[in-house]
Amino acid sequence: MELHIEKDTKALSASLAEWTNNYIQQVLAKQDRFTFVLSGGSTPKALYALLAESPYKESIPWEKLHFFWGDERAVPFEDSRNNAKMCYDELLDKVPVKAENIHVMRTDITPEESAAEYEKIVKSYFDGSETTFDFVLLGMGDDGHTLSLFPGTEVIHEQNALATSFFLQVQDMYRITLTAPVVNNAACVAFLAAGAGKAEVLKQVLKGQKNVDLYPSQIIQPSKGQLHWFVDEAAAALL
């Protein structure tokens, strides 16, 4: 695991944007496509905004990138809580990515149908491959959740499905999510976490006793790939 600490969220986003660009270039020097799992939430917005501007808008070969999502709230695309909508608004509508290379978790069908469809898409890309996604960008909530793996939920321990859905009682909504095994088989995973509100849980996730039911982010440990944590000084204050 490699830990990257930057002064504040602006420096953090700039550092991760440069790192992401370099990593994409390295991977595409060896293969002709790059599979990228986007994260929702508020923290990556600044990163996406940077990637959509010069110099990255010109330097990244967007036509070779294939985009996926780690999880989604089962709300209409037009809903401000929809992860895909945020990513389109901040990044995908601003760069020359091919529409057929963007794979949203659909919310115009039932959550169960959406998860089943997403699993088929993932399998079509990676069946027979040594690893799954080239890059998975993850966030971490103040409660230690990542993807839609929330503390105390059964989905944390899902071993068979690549994508699944469930009703999250505390939020009174359905969630669609990739599962830990498919993410742990990725070539590279990077967490992005910022703010003092993350300090205690980051300390527990990275330094505390392993308890994935309490701190689900601990379950993300790539078996063959890299693991990076990009955090600001406020989040890293207790490390």
Side-chain angles (χ1 to χ4, degrees), residues 75-186:
V75 296
F77 179 82
E78 299 76 20
D79 192 306
S80 62
R81 297 170 295 171
N82 185 278
N83 286 337
K85 182 183 190 306
M86 183 276 282
C87 295
Y88 269 93
D89 290 347
E90 301 296 333
L91 175 63
L92 300 176
D93 281 339
K94 300 177 180 179
V95 294
V97 59
K98 293 180 179 178
E100 62 267 28
N101 292 352
I102 302 174
H103 304 288
V104 302
M105 290 176 163
R106 289 176 60 187
T107 59
D108 60 334
I109 53 180
T110 70
E112 294 82 4
E113 290 170 331
S114 180
E117 182 180 279
Y118 218 70
E119 177 154 323
K120 286 181 183 176
I121 294 169
V122 172
K123 283 183 175 178
S124 75
Y125 267 78
F126 304 118
D127 258 7
S129 301
E130 188 176 334
T131 56
T132 55
F133 304 101
D134 293 306
F135 184 50
V136 180
L137 178 65
L138 296 177
M140 181 186 69
D142 292 355
D143 60 356
H145 89 267
T146 193
L147 302 165
S148 284
L149 312 182
F150 287 85
T153 54
E154 293 180 11
V155 67
I156 296 167
H157 301 283
E158 175 60 52
Q159 289 296 312
N160 298 316
L162 304 183
T164 191
S165 66
F166 68 100
F167 186 76
L168 185 61
Q169 198 78 42
V170 69
Q171 292 185 357
D172 193 31
M173 70 163 59
Y174 279 91
R175 308 280 300 214
I176 306 149
T177 187
L178 294 178
T179 60
V182 70
V183 172
N184 281 334
N185 205 30

